[in-house]
Structures are given as structure tokens and as C-alpha cells.
Amino acid sequence: MRLRRRLATRTVPPRFTAVTVAAAILIAVATILLTLQGSNSQADVGALPAADSGSNQYDGTRPQGAADASGNVSAAGPLTQLDKDLLVAVRRAGLWELPAGRLAQTNASSEAVKRAGLHLMDGHSKLDQMVREDAKILGVEIPNEATEEQQGWVEEMRNAKGAEFDRIFTNLLRAAHGKVFATIAQARGATQNDLIRRHAREANQTVLDHLEVLEDTGLVTPETFADVEKTVVPPK
């Protein structure tokens, strides 16, 4: 009886009580943290962007005017015949000016002409890649060969050497660039299509560079300038 009475009246040590309380607090805090973590994970999952469903709306995740996986380009804006003509003109220019630039490296006698040829090769290589990409995105059919007239110009240059080649190359290319320069300006001035605006900007810079290196040869004749003026200036 005395042993039982002593056990019944024994008090819990303060240290044991403190440890028990601390453990209970830690368990409660851990439970709260786990709950909050689970809530944040669900919120993060809900914040992930939805998969592209082929919407026509520009969602800011691609450059404006670029196509989504389905090739939809409505965000680029309306596409006019003038826009299409620009892509065709740029493509055709590359189809004969690239070979002309290569011929300048073998047939020209002037270092300035050879330099102009290098600029043509570099500029039209980049433009040709861009025009093929943009035409595919926009669904525009572009040619795969130069016109008969352009092919005739290449053949004329192929059969010329030295100073004769320098003269033919410089004036044919200066006339062609002057005329396409006007086409680019017309398309850029009227287009509402973002891809065409970008394309016109790149083409404009390239053609301007080619105009300058061709003029730097000192071989462009007054007749060539008059021919360009007659083509690009509307009659009064």
C-alpha cells in the first residue's frame, strides 16, 4: 500500500514535461509546413502555361508573326498581292545574282568588281534562306529558277572576261538592284504583315549595301541610271 501510494503521488519531472511540449510543437509546425508546401505545389501546377491548342491569337511566347506548330499565321497580319510580289522578287534576285557573284571571282579583272561579287554572294545567301522560310510560313509559292531574261544575263557574263565582264556585271546588277529597291519600298510602305515588314527591312539593308559597292566600282554608266529612273518613276 505504501508503494502504491508513493507511485500515485509521484510528480512528473519538469524536464520531461518540457521535452514533451517541445516535441508536440515540432510536430505541429512540421504538419503546417507540409500543408503549405502541398498548396504551393498545386498552385504552381495550375500556373503552368497550357499546351498550344492551335489558337490564332498571338500569345507573346513566339515572335509576333511567327507560325505555331500548325503553321497558323493570322497574328502576322493580312497578306496582299504586293507582299507576295516582294517575296517572289527577292527569291528571283537570289537565283541569278548568286551565280553572278561567283562569276565575278573568276571572270573580273577589277578588285572592286570582285569585292562587289562577294557582297552579292553573302547578302543573297542570307536573303534567300529568309525568303524560303517566310514563303513557307505564309504559304506563298516562289520560283525555283530565274526568269529567261535573268538566265540570259548570267550567260552573257559567263561568256565575258576582264574589263568587258566588269562593265556588263556592274551595269546589269546596278540596274536590277535599283529596280528591286523600289519594289521593297512599295511593299514596306503598304504592308500590314509583320513578317513582310521584317523581310522588307532585311532586304532593304542588303540591297542598299549592294548598290553602294556596285557604285564604288566607278563603272556604272549614266544610261543605267536613266533606265532605272524610267522604270521606277511613274509617268506624269
Side-chain angles (χ1 to χ4, degrees):
M1 292 294 292
R2 291 178 181 177
L3 179 59
R4 291 179 180 176
R5 189 179 294 114
R6 283 197 298 269
L7 289 173
T9 58
R10 182 180 295 174
T11 58
V12 179
R15 180 179 299 175
F16 180 79
T17 303
V19 170
T20 303
V21 172
I25 292 173
L26 288 174
I27 292 171
V29 170
T31 303
I32 293 171
L33 290 176
L34 288 172
T35 303
L36 291 175
Q37 185 176 3
S39 300
N40 290 338
S41 297
Q42 292 178 355
D44 290 342
V45 171
L48 289 175
D52 192 348
S53 60
S55 170
N56 292 345
Q57 296 297 321
Y58 172 60
D59 58 11
T61 61
R62 301 182 298 271
Q64 190 165 1
D68 59 20
S70 65
N72 195 306
V73 292
S74 63
L79 186 69
T80 67
Q81 186 59 49
L82 190 60
D83 297 335
K84 297 176 183 179
D85 291 344
L86 172 63
L87 297 179
V88 170
V90 171
R91 171 63 170 164
R92 279 187 172 148
L95 288 170
W96 77 277
E97 292 175 20
L98 275 167
R102 288 192 288 267
L103 283 171
Q105 308 314 304
T106 58
N107 292 18
S109 60
S110 165
E111 289 301 320
V113 170
K114 292 181 180 180
R115 175 173 174 267
L118 289 175
H119 278 244
L120 262 65
M121 293 166 62
D122 178 63
H124 282 290
S125 293
K126 295 173 182 176
L127 271 186
D128 194 64
Q129 179 179 351
M130 177 182 289
V131 74
R132 285 184 283 112
E133 291 173 354
D134 288 350
K136 182 177 180 180
I137 291 172
L138 294 170
V140 177
E141 185 176 352
I142 54 175
N144 289 319
E145 61 179 19
T147 65
E148 289 186 10
E149 182 180 35
Q150 292 167 340
Q151 293 178 38
W153 294 337
V154 173
E155 191 62 26
E156 183 179 1
M157 287 184 283
R158 185 174 288 113
N159 294 328
K161 301 286 184 181
E164 181 187 12
F165 174 89
D166 296 344
R167 176 183 57 79
I168 295 172
F169 171 91
T170 302
N171 286 279
L172 281 176
L173 270 299
R174 178 56 182 83
H177 279 80
K179 294 171 184 178
V180 79
F181 198 55
T183 301
I184 295 168
Q186 290 174 344
R188 181 60 186 89
T191 189
Q192 301 177 59
N193 188 287
D194 288 340
L195 275 178
I196 295 298
R197 287 169 178 163
R198 183 199 67 170
H199 197 95
R201 180 175 65 251
E202 295 298 325
N204 182 76
Q205 293 173 351
T206 300
V207 172
L208 181 59
D209 171 70
H210 295 174
L211 288 172
E212 291 175 349
V213 293
L214 288 165
E215 291 164 358
D216 286 346
T217 65
L219 298 174
V220 183
T221 65
E223 290 76 16
T224 295
F225 290 111
D227 176 53
V228 174
E229 181 179 0
K230 181 174 62 177
T231 302
V232 302
V233 177
K236 297 181 180 179

